[in-house]
């Protein structure tokens, strides 16, 4: 299935080599790319988190802002290259990882139009889902299917539990407001 979704655009040359680096994990260069990608993802999420702390933002905002745009540029180039190396770019763009990749660069780009959307850049943590593929944990997807089926079958109980929890929280919140005042 993976090979069907991400067919290489060419069998030799730069596109094929980049395809191997982006979508395979057998040789050293391919694994090193995965490691650097994971480090970049974690660093970019850390930048977003640090920028949300007022004391750190007051002192380091300009550097954090530049780092955020650096990571956005790196991830945008990587996404563009991924689209370039596959035979059917639309198929990759609409795949699970293609959508995740796009969602990780959109918040920063949208922040040019809507400044409040910059804090959504923390969705980059979703890119860490690549670890499952890199570490060959996809073979456990049948167990994930069993878990999803159990959650779907228990959805009424889960909904009831969450409803009771929210109701209790609102009641105790209202009591605290009455006891402590505004």
């Amino acid at each position: 299935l993976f090979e069907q979704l991400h067919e290489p655009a060419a069998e030799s040359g730069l596109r094929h080599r980049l395809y191997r680096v982006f979508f395979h994990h057998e040789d050293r260069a391919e694994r090193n790319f995965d490691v650097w990608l994971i480090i970049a993802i974690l660093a970019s999420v850390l930048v977003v988190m640090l920028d949300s702390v007022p004391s750190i933002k007051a002192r380091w905002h300009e550097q954090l802002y530049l780092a955020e745009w650096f990571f956005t540029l790196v991830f945008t180039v990587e996404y563009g290259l991924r689209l370039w190396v596959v035979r059917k770019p639309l198929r990759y763009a609409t795949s699970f990882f293609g959508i995740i990749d796009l969602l990780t660069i959109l918040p920063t780009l949208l922040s040019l139009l809507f400044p409040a959307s910059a804090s959504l850049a923390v969705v980059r943590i979703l890119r860490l889902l690549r670890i499952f593929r890199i570490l060959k944990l996809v073979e456990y997807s049948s167990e994930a299917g069993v878990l999803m089926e159990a959650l779907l079958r228990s959805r009424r109980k889960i909904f009831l539990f969450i409803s009771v929890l929210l109701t209790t929280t609102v009641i105790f919140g209202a009591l605290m407001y009455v006891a402590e005042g505004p």
Side-chain angles (χ1 to χ4, degrees):
L1 177 65
F2 175 77
E3 289 298 325
Q4 291 172 349
L5 272 177
H6 310 291
E7 298 174 45
E11 291 303 319
S12 63
L14 177 63
R15 284 177 81 176
H16 181 69
R17 182 67 191 132
L18 285 175
Y19 171 82
R20 298 271 322 158
V21 168
F22 287 146
F23 294 106
H24 289 270
H25 320 290
E26 285 89 39
D27 74 22
R28 186 180 195 116
E30 295 161 1
R31 286 190 300 271
N32 286 343
F33 174 78
D34 292 334
V35 169
W36 283 108
L37 182 62
I38 291 168
I39 291 169
I41 293 166
L42 290 172
S44 71
V45 170
L46 181 64
V47 165
V48 172
M49 291 169 57
L50 289 173
D51 198 42
S52 70
V53 178
S55 60
I56 295 174
K57 184 175 183 167
R59 184 166 183 204
W60 299 98
H61 177 67
E62 187 173 322
Q63 291 85 351
L64 294 171
Y65 181 78
L66 291 173
E68 174 60 26
W69 276 102
F70 169 77
F71 286 119
T72 300
L73 178 64
V74 167
F75 294 142
T76 303
V77 168
E78 183 224 355
Y79 180 68
L81 287 172
R82 283 181 186 270
L83 291 173
W84 180 63
V85 301
V86 294
R87 191 168 285 148
K88 297 178 181 174
L90 184 59
R91 183 180 253 178
Y92 174 74
T94 57
S95 71
F96 177 75
F97 286 114
I99 291 169
I100 295 293
D101 290 347
L102 182 62
L103 287 176
T104 62
I105 58 177
L106 278 181
T108 305
L109 297 176
L110 286 174
S111 72
L112 294 172
L113 300 173
F114 310 104
S117 67
S119 61
L120 294 175
V122 78
V123 300
R124 286 193 178 145
I125 198 78
L126 291 175
R127 292 193 92 195
L128 290 179
L129 292 174
R130 289 185 180 282
I131 292 173
F132 290 107
R133 193 177 74 218
I134 293 165
L135 298 178
K136 309 256 190 259
L137 296 176
V138 176
E139 60 193 56
Y140 297 109
S141 62
S142 62
E143 286 83 355
V146 171
L147 180 61
M148 289 304 294
E149 186 178 331
L151 287 171
L152 284 173
R153 287 184 178 178
S154 301
R155 67 182 176 268
R156 290 183 183 151
K157 294 174 186 170
I158 294 170
F159 177 75
L160 179 63
F161 171 74
I162 290 173
S163 297
V164 169
L165 185 68
L166 288 174
T167 303
T168 305
T169 303
V170 169
I171 290 171
F172 280 104
L175 289 173
M176 290 301 294
Y177 180 81
V178 169
E180 293 183 357

